[in-house]
Amino acid sequence: RKEHVKPYPPADRGRSWFKYFQYDEGRDSPSEARNVLLVIATLIAAVTFQAGVNPPGGVWQDNGKGHKAGQAIYASQERAFYVFLVSNTLALSTSILVIVSLTYRFPFHFEVWVATASMIVTYASAIFAVTPNELVRLRYILVAAGVPFAVRTLIQICKKLRNR
């Protein structure tokens, strides 16, 4: 089947390029949209996982004044470090939700769940390994990890209630 493709927008109108690349229900298929979302979510998951395992600034290489080898150097700036941890965890958790949602009922969905759960455990253990014990505030990180799932669940409940 031949699909209708919009012609390229005129080069003299910058906003036209923005509109041209936006999702268009009449032009873009759901499978194309799913594939784009999977690529984006996977990229976000990879970047945030890597940032959590290797925090910005690296880790101390030795035991010294108020720090231990293997702890994040960035943790010495407590507030900034927690903004980083919470934001990074929120991004990772949201991207994992998108990946799992978009692969629901696909072949190997169970294996995707197992791999995802393993990645979450690895991320959590890395976060706790590089965070000084006195700074570990598990509740902040758990809330950040759970927010995307809670919001999605609330949205689904509201949709079901509205459809009744």
Side-chain angles (χ1 to χ4, degrees):
R1 107 188 154 137
K2 194 172 185 179
E3 292 186 32
H4 172 71
V5 177
K6 289 183 181 178
Y8 288 108
D12 60 338
R13 290 192 281 164
R15 188 138 174 94
S16 297
W17 281 103
F18 180 72
K19 284 187 174 189
Y20 178 78
F21 287 109
Q22 286 180 336
Y23 176 73
D24 181 352
E25 198 171 325
R27 177 190 66 200
D28 302 317
S29 72
S31 68
E32 287 174 339
R34 182 184 56 239
N35 289 340
V36 168
L37 289 171
L38 275 171
V39 168
I40 293 167
T42 303
L43 177 62
I44 293 168
V47 168
T48 55
F49 179 86
Q50 187 62 29
V53 172
N54 296 309
V59 295
W60 293 106
Q61 301 299 310
D62 60 353
N63 294 328
K65 299 174 186 172
H67 66 266
K68 296 179 185 169
Q71 291 181 342
I73 296 170
Y74 194 22
S76 62
Q77 300 173 34
E78 187 175 337
R79 286 187 182 186
F81 184 65
Y82 267 99
V83 168
F84 162 74
L85 273 182
V86 169
S87 300
N88 197 62
T89 302
L90 183 62
L92 177 65
S93 183
T94 304
S95 65
I96 286 171
L97 174 64
V98 171
I99 291 167
V100 170
S101 297
L102 292 175
T103 59
Y104 183 67
R105 294 189 176 173
F106 270 37
F108 299 106
H109 182 72
F110 175 74
E111 288 79 1
V112 170
W113 264 105
V114 170
T116 302
S118 299
M119 186 172 79
I120 291 168
V121 169
T122 303
Y123 175 82
S125 65
I127 290 297
F128 292 114
V130 300
T131 305
N133 291 339
E134 61 274 4
L135 292 182
V136 175
R137 294 192 179 109
L138 180 63
R139 65 184 174 270
Y140 296 138
I141 296 169
L142 287 176
V143 167
V147 163
F149 296 93
V151 169
R152 176 50 56 192
T153 301
L154 287 173
I155 289 170
Q156 293 301 110
I157 290 170
C158 288
K159 281 182 177 181
K160 285 186 179 185
L161 291 175
R162 191 180 336 151
N163 289 338
R164 283 188 179 179

